[in-house]
């Protein structure tokens, strides 16, 4: 984190209402991959990630866009969804573990059994994306990023904001051309086909 994070005690109340207090601002953060990518866009580096990072062909997963998978430790464990490699996680000496929620209070990419063990290594901070628009989700990540030392007035963040606004305009223009047709947003994996909840 940058010097803007300051020194001395650090306190943050997450979207579960859990207040996390540390002796100093966290600098060794392990985060779910899409949140890690969002924090990276704000200039906040993480030491480890969990969740989608690489595709089967070795290419970067779109959820982790902007991360360098060769420069970051992946603590995702094989097997059951939401399992973390606790030995790898412990080796990173994390100050904070960050994930999000789509069905609060369930943590995204951390199952209950793993959370009970992981929280002994570092506090778990959860950001609630349930029902949020894309803009609200971005604002939530920016709020957290600022508390982790991000400079929201930096040239890099301003460029990201301008890029987002340009893409938003392009999408709005596409919507105008579609008129009153209904659109179903989908994504797929090798085995599953997801339809977005509007």
């Amino acid at each position: 984190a940058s010097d803007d994070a300051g020194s001395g005690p650090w306190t943050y109340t997450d979207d579960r209402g859990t207040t996390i207090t540390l002796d100093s601002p966290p600098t060794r953060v392990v985060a779910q991959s899409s949140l890690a990518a969002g924090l990276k866009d704000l200039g906040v580096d993480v030491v480890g990630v969990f969740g989608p990072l690489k595709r089967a062909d070795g290419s970067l997963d779109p959820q982790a866009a902007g991360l360098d998978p060769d420069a970051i430790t992946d603590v995702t464990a094989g097997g059951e969804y939401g399992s973390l490699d606790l030995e790898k996680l412990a080796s990173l000496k994390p100050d904070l573990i960050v994930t999000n929620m789509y069905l609060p209070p369930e943590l995204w990419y951390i199952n209950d059994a793993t959370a009970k063990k992981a929280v002994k290594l570092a506090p778990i901070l959860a950001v609630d994306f349930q029902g949020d628009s894309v803009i609200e989700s971005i604002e939530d990540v920016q709020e957290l990023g600022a508390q982790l030392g991000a400079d929201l007035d930096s040239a890099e963040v301003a460029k990201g904001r301008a890029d987002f606004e340009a893409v938003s305009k392009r999408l709005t223009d596409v919507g105008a051309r579609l008129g009153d047709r209904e659109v179903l947003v989908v994504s797929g994996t090798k085995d599953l086909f997801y339809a977005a909840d509007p």
Side-chain angles (χ1 to χ4, degrees):
S2 71
D3 292 337
D4 293 341
S7 59
W10 183 88
T11 300
Y12 192 93
T13 301
D14 77 359
D15 289 333
R16 297 172 296 174
T18 301
T19 299
I20 297 166
T21 302
L22 301 172
D23 292 338
S24 58
T27 57
R28 300 191 59 78
V29 177
V30 174
Q32 190 275 334
S33 54
S34 58
L35 265 172
L39 291 171
K40 175 73 172 171
D41 287 346
L42 299 172
V44 177
D45 289 319
V46 299
V47 295
V49 298
F50 54 92
L53 184 61
K54 287 184 179 179
R55 292 173 163 170
D57 66 3
S59 64
L60 186 66
D61 189 286
Q63 291 186 60
L67 297 179
D68 179 355
D70 297 323
I72 198 163
T73 302
D74 185 355
V75 300
T76 309
E80 184 181 345
Y81 165 84
S83 296
L84 304 181
D85 183 325
L86 295 171
E87 287 185 18
K88 264 191 192 177
L89 180 63
S91 74
L92 294 175
K93 297 182 170 70
D95 299 320
L96 186 66
I97 300 166
V98 179
T99 192
N100 49 309
M101 301 178 292
Y102 287 104
L103 297 170
E106 293 178 26
L107 301 175
W108 191 237
Y109 278 95
I110 305 179
N111 63 37
D112 289 343
T114 300
K116 287 174 184 168
K117 296 173 185 173
V119 76
K120 294 176 183 175
L121 299 172
I124 299 173
L125 185 154
V127 179
D128 184 6
F129 288 162
Q130 171 65 35
D132 278 4
S133 69
V134 171
I135 301 291
E136 290 166 332
S137 295
I138 290 170
E139 288 171 348
D140 289 344
V141 176
Q142 286 180 334
E143 177 186 336
L144 173 60
Q147 294 302 312
L148 294 174
D151 177 2
L152 299 184
D153 296 320
S154 72
E156 184 179 2
V157 173
K159 181 185 180 316
R161 191 173 294 121
D163 290 347
F164 180 81
E165 288 170 358
V167 171
S168 295
K169 182 182 181 321
R170 192 173 79 200
L171 188 59
T172 299
D173 292 345
V174 168
R177 288 195 305 271
L178 288 173
D180 62 357
R181 285 184 279 182
E182 292 185 1
V183 176
L184 178 64
V185 179
V186 299
S187 66
T189 67
K190 181 178 177 184
D191 301 313
L192 298 169
F193 184 77
Y194 294 96
D197 178 351

